[in-house]
Amino acid sequence: MKQDYFDRVYEKTYRPLLRYAILHLSNPADAEDALQNVYVDFYRRIERYGHLDILAPKSFLLKMLKREIIKNYAERSVRKAYLIEDYDKDRTERTISFTFEDAVLDRAMVEQVFCTAKSLPPETYRVFVLYYGFEMSVADICTELQIGREAVKSRLFRARNELRKQLFPQAAQSPSKRGIHYE
């Protein structure tokens, strides 16, 4: 009974809570760890006291996640602020040798890409996951992370280039001019 309840809550809340954690922690790996801690604590709580008094499990978990995020920052005693200047919006789109979308049609490739992407710098990985994993638009990412449009596009560009080098070294050697358009 308790396990069934936990499984149902987990299925309904995992994606939105992971997104929230990624947006509020400076390192996506820290976000995954924080969310895992929340679910472990939640499971222990329902094991010990039951779940009948939890009327809104998503809100309950969100409150736990907020505390975990605060704890994460307090333990590190470092708060990072993302202050990036807003670049000229009329800059031309950068070109890439091969579109990322062409490479991720196969599910196994998607898993390999996201696994490889974990080696990216945290701020680049975060934008990459929000854009490709959560299918957020560039404008939404700008709003959520409070960074400029060109900063988001630049991080996506760097992420794709780095992944291309690691996953497709032959393609990175022979560039062709194909533009990419976000949104």
Side-chain angles (χ1 to χ4, degrees):
M1 171 95 167
K2 292 175 185 176
Q3 182 66 44
D4 292 336
Y5 174 77
F6 177 82
D7 291 342
R8 283 192 317 269
V9 169
Y10 181 87
E11 285 295 319
K12 290 180 182 178
T13 60
Y14 181 78
R15 271 185 70 86
L17 291 178
L18 179 60
R19 179 177 172 209
Y20 183 88
I22 287 173
L23 290 170
H24 289 85
L25 285 168
S26 59
N27 184 340
D30 290 344
E32 292 169 356
D33 290 345
L35 189 55
Q36 182 179 7
N37 291 341
V38 166
Y39 280 115
V40 167
D41 290 345
F42 180 66
Y43 187 81
R44 287 181 183 151
R45 195 263 186 221
I46 61 175
E47 278 288 311
R48 181 175 289 153
Y49 303 110
H51 65 276
L52 298 176
D53 62 325
I54 301 173
L55 302 176
K58 184 176 177 184
S59 297
F60 188 86
L61 285 166
L62 183 59
K63 193 174 198 178
M64 290 177 71
L65 181 58
K66 287 177 181 179
R67 282 192 221 125
E68 188 68 27
I69 290 169
I70 291 168
K71 185 172 123 185
N72 182 287
Y73 277 112
E75 286 172 357
R76 292 184 324 176
S77 68
V78 175
R79 294 184 187 256
K80 291 187 178 184
Y82 291 94
L83 301 173
I84 297 174
E85 288 183 334
D86 195 15
Y87 294 100
D88 181 20
K89 295 181 189 239
D90 295 330
R91 281 181 53 183
T92 58
E93 297 288 335
R94 295 184 183 209
T95 60
I96 61 172
S97 62
F98 147 141
T99 62
F100 183 76
E101 291 78 11
D102 293 341
V104 296
L105 297 174
D106 179 29
R107 181 161 176 77
M109 178 57 84
V110 170
E111 290 175 9
Q112 184 180 6
V113 166
F114 276 91
C115 209
T116 305
K118 288 185 178 185
S119 69
L120 296 170
E123 63 279 355
T124 303
Y125 177 68
R126 178 192 280 183
V127 170
F128 177 84
V129 168
L130 293 173
Y131 188 80
Y132 289 105
F134 289 99
E135 299 176 352
M136 290 176 66
S137 69
V138 170
D140 290 340
I141 296 170
C142 291
T143 302
E144 290 290 337
L145 299 180
Q146 298 179 348
I147 60 175
R149 180 179 185 80
E150 291 300 320
V152 171
K153 293 192 307 186
S154 176
R155 290 176 189 178
L156 288 170
F157 178 81
R158 285 192 306 256
R160 279 192 311 279
N161 280 344
E162 186 58 35
L163 292 173
R164 190 176 308 105
K165 286 178 196 171
Q166 291 182 31
L167 297 171
F168 309 103
Q170 307 84 357
Q173 298 296 326
S174 58
S176 67
K177 301 292 182 186
R178 288 174 68 183
I180 187 159
H181 181 69
Y182 299 104
E183 319 271 346

